[in-house]
Amino acid sequence: MSERSPAHRLDAQGINTGAKVHWNLTTAPLVELAVARGEGKLAKDGPLVVKTGTHTGRSAQDKFTVRDATTESSVWWGKSNKPISPEHFANLKVDFLAALAGKESLFAQDLYGGSQPEHRVRVRVINEYAWHSLFIRTMLVRPPLEELAGFVPEFTIIDLPSFRADPARHGCRGETVIAVNLTEKLILIGGTEYGGEMKKSVFGLLNYLLPPQGIMPMHCSANIGPEGDTAIFFGLSGTGKTTLSADKARTLIGDDEHGWSDTAVFNFEGGCYAKMIRLSPDSEPEIYATTKRFGTVLENVVMDEETRQLDLDDATLAENSRGVYPIDFIPNSSERNMGPVPKNVIMLTADAFGVLPPIARLTPDQAMYHFLSGYTAKVAGTEIGVTEPEATFSTCFGAPFMPRHPSVYGNLLKERIARGGVTCWLVNTGWTGGKYGTGKRMPIKETRALLNAALDGSLNNVEFRKDSNFGFEVPVAVTGVDNAILDPRSTWADKDDYDATAAKLVDLFVANFAEFAEHVDEGVRQSGPTQTQVQTQQTQTSSA
């Protein structure tokens, strides 16, 4: 038994296989095996390039949680948390173990989910692909060598892309399945090669386990300023969470998943998972540099087969092309993946309606309202005739990963904001001067200038106005920023169109929040927008 092999092996877990098990391999041997097995190819500057086939993103509709005595009253059942019966899971487990028994080789990694020792979970991940083993080893927290021999997993993930589920036998939707059994502490992933399913499965576990301990799990990035001030950035995909947190003037804690304890903000992970499509060496130099490093894994990035040159602008394989790299590939990352409790909370949205200001200051009640709303907007699709943006509301900025009711996370956030005297901001990285198709994307230079002013405290000293649509505070003028963009309505050529669009967005917010109204207090209910506010503004404008 090598020093990387644990004493507690697969047979101790009831997993019997004749396969050669590669235990806790490091980066170089995993890359070698992935290339030798035809799982991927090396690009010109060193990264491993892989394709994930038909699944280039998460299969959210194929994820199920076992509904039993453990989860019946603790899981928020519905669209994001769909149930599977214990009987169907038992069938699935039998078939997964049978599939493992027939493999010639397997890869196993023993890892931590969570960087703060008191609040982490021990996870064993079993894969049939070498590159999947490299992916999850890069993404999670790697135990020091001396801890591997005695490692005993609390949860186990088995990921078999070659497995094909049977809906009748397994109670799922099709051949792809992600099944979570919180009682047996086992997650089974089959029928998809997309590496992100493993990453988000661990995130879901921590989102379930930590709230009863009073720990706030968050779908956010986080960094630390030169004065030791931590900032966290909530945001859905495409809002700038990874880009804005990778700031050369601040120390990166992590880009995607964190916990907020009494003493720290701590990264759940040891790596980053960034979007690669149209990545800019000018706007995102730290992330761009990772595409030229050995140890990075690139999913669905187009590469010239002869020159092995990457084309990050080519979306032929996927719009959601991704890069996985150790967090220390970012030059100014935190050695401990941890920082002090935050002084600022930033909620990012890419408003394709062009209604929201580039930055707004929120009260604790408003922060909870916008956290539960989790708003961003997708741009118009490719279908002919579709020109309107589409609003997306994902509660807690991560509904698919939140097993418990959103109010659990919302109340935790509100309590921690109040306890720490945290300042909260809503930042729009979307459109200005009109909606998508008419206006333009918010300049990243202006966004960074406003964020810097918020984080260094100087923004708190400027004059603010109350936004007539949403009621939050918006700065009137900020040094170094084109003040015209601070008032979205003034940037629209057609003011009536702005008013109508704002009224539509307010309606969408109000309708979406209805399901949360009975779970929050009156202060939060009154902190959102109302249609009356918009009508009043329109009346005043018409009178003028």
Side-chain angles (χ1 to χ4, degrees):
M1 182 167 54
S2 78
E3 60 183 349
R4 307 196 74 84
S5 300
H8 187 89
R9 298 165 77 90
L10 296 186
D11 54 0
Q13 297 180 256
I15 300 173
N16 298 305
T17 177
K20 177 182 179 181
V21 181
H22 300 275
W23 284 101
N24 295 309
L25 293 185
T26 55
T27 299
L30 285 170
V31 171
E32 287 176 355
L33 283 166
V35 172
R37 290 156 54 98
E39 297 175 8
K41 297 180 179 180
L42 284 179
K44 174 176 172 286
D45 296 306
L48 178 68
V49 180
V50 299
K51 298 176 183 177
T52 64
T54 57
H55 295 278
T56 59
R58 290 182 305 101
S59 300
Q61 297 305 310
D62 297 307
K63 177 177 173 287
F64 301 88
T65 302
V66 175
R67 191 167 191 162
D68 58 15
T70 301
T71 59
E72 177 63 44
S73 59
S74 59
V75 167
W76 180 44
W77 300 107
K79 182 173 144 185
S80 297
N81 296 297
K82 297 181 290 297
I84 186 175
S85 71
E87 295 74 20
H88 279 130
F89 185 88
N91 292 340
L92 186 66
K93 180 180 175 182
V94 165
D95 294 344
F96 256 75
L97 294 183
L100 283 181
K103 297 295 179 186
E104 292 185 4
S105 62
L106 292 168
F107 300 86
Q109 292 285 344
D110 291 329
L111 301 159
Y112 295 131
S115 297
Q116 190 167 16
E118 312 94 281
H119 306 301
R120 65 191 180 195
V121 62
R122 299 185 303 278
V123 181
R124 173 167 290 168
V125 186
I126 302 166
N127 298 110
E128 62 177 317
Y129 288 176
W131 87 258
H132 272 185
S133 192
L134 175 59
F135 176 103
I136 199 62
R137 183 180 187 276
T138 303
M139 283 308 315
L140 294 186
V141 178
R142 298 164 288 282
L145 183 61
E146 61 270 18
E147 294 181 17
L148 289 176
F151 192 97
V152 178
E154 296 171 81
F155 283 84
T156 299
I157 298 172
I158 304 174
D159 188 346
L160 300 178
S162 64
F163 186 88
R164 296 294 178 264
D166 177 352
R169 177 168 166 76
H170 302 134
C172 52
R173 197 177 66 117
E175 293 187 337
T176 300
V177 65
I178 301 97
V180 180
N181 192 321
L182 292 165
T183 301
E184 295 190 25
K185 300 184 176 181
L186 178 63
I187 298 174
L188 304 175
I189 303 172
T192 172
E193 298 187 32
Y194 183 65
E197 296 290 8
M198 294 180 285
K199 161 191 162 67
K200 290 305 185 186
S201 291
V202 177
F203 187 37
L205 282 181
L206 290 164
N207 284 330
Y208 182 81
L209 296 171
L210 293 180
Q213 303 174 36
I215 311 301
M216 173 67 185
M218 303 175 291
H219 186 211
C220 70
S221 57
N223 62 26
I224 313 169
E227 303 301 318
D229 56 301
T230 297
I232 56 179
F233 301 76
F234 289 106
L236 299 171
S237 180
T239 58
K241 185 159 48 72
T242 298
T243 298
L244 292 172
S245 60
D247 184 336
K248 63 182 180 181
R250 297 176 66 86
T251 300
L252 181 68
I253 301 173
D255 80 326
D256 197 40
E257 303 171 6
H258 295 82
W260 182 350
S261 70
D262 289 341
T263 57
V265 168
F266 62 99
N267 196 348
F268 287 168
E269 302 179 312
C272 299
Y273 194 36
K275 275 197 168 187
M276 292 288 121
I277 195 68
R278 293 177 286 277
L279 192 67
S280 166
D282 297 321
S283 299
E284 298 135 321
E286 293 87 2
I287 301 171
Y288 183 84
T290 69
T291 67
K292 300 180 179 295
R293 294 282 300 268
F294 178 82
T296 293
V297 180
L298 298 175
E299 288 183 328
N300 303 311
V301 170
V302 172
M303 178 180 70
D304 185 289
E305 291 294 327
E306 303 231 349
T307 65
R308 302 298 177 93
Q309 184 69 43
L310 302 174
D311 185 351
L312 299 179
D313 295 328
D314 191 335
T316 302
L317 294 175
E319 182 70 24
N320 187 40
S321 58
R322 293 272 180 168
V324 183
Y325 48 89
I327 193 170
D328 60 16
F329 278 16
I330 301 297
N332 56 332
S333 59
S334 165
E335 289 185 9
R336 298 174 60 236
N337 285 358
M338 293 170 58
V341 294
K343 290 188 176 180
N344 287 279
V345 167
I346 293 96
M347 298 182 189
L348 300 169
T349 180
D351 177 28
F353 291 90
V355 168
L356 296 179
I359 196 166
R361 188 168 61 187
L362 307 176
T363 66
D365 282 337
Q366 288 170 340
M368 184 173 177
Y369 181 94
H370 285 277
F371 179 69
L372 290 176
S373 297
Y375 166 71
T376 192
K378 297 177 182 177
V379 298
T382 55
E383 184 180 343
I384 295 174
V386 178
T387 58
E388 288 296 309
E390 177 187 342
T392 298
F393 294 93
S394 184
T395 184
C396 307
F397 294 98
F401 323 119
M402 303 295 173
R404 298 181 183 273
H405 192 277
S407 61
V408 171
Y409 308 103
N411 283 320
L412 269 172
L413 179 67
K414 186 179 176 183
E415 289 166 12
R416 291 206 167 274
I417 287 171
R419 191 187 311 171
V422 180
T423 306
C424 299
W425 307 90
L426 182 69
V427 172
N428 174 23
T429 60
W431 273 256
T432 183
K435 67 187 76 170
Y436 171 79
T438 303
K440 62 179 181 179
R441 195 72 190 255
M442 198 74 70
I444 192 169
K445 179 183 176 183
E446 306 284 5
T447 300
R448 284 200 181 277
L450 289 167
L451 268 178
N452 289 340
L455 298 180
D456 69 19
S458 62
L459 194 57
N460 285 312
N461 301 320
V462 307
E463 179 187 354
F464 284 82
R465 65 175 177 85
K466 185 175 180 180
D467 185 86
S468 56
N469 296 325
F470 286 84
F472 42 51
E473 294 181 313
V474 180
V476 174
V478 179
T479 303
V481 173
D482 177 6
N483 294 325
I485 69 169
L486 295 173
D487 180 7
R489 190 173 185 273
S490 70
T491 67
W492 284 52
D494 186 336
K495 303 299 189 286
D496 290 339
D497 189 18
Y498 172 86
D499 292 336
T501 305
K504 177 182 177 180
L505 184 58
V506 164
D507 276 346
L508 292 170
F509 264 88
V510 171
N512 173 75
F513 201 79
E515 67 174 307
F516 306 122
E518 64 181 277
H519 300 284
V520 299
D521 59 35
E522 186 63 18
V524 176
R525 283 194 292 271
Q526 294 300 320
S527 65
T530 64
Q531 185 61 54
T532 304
Q533 289 174 316
V534 178
Q535 290 172 341
T536 300
Q537 181 199 28
Q538 290 173 335
T539 301
Q540 291 171 343
T541 303
S542 299
S543 299

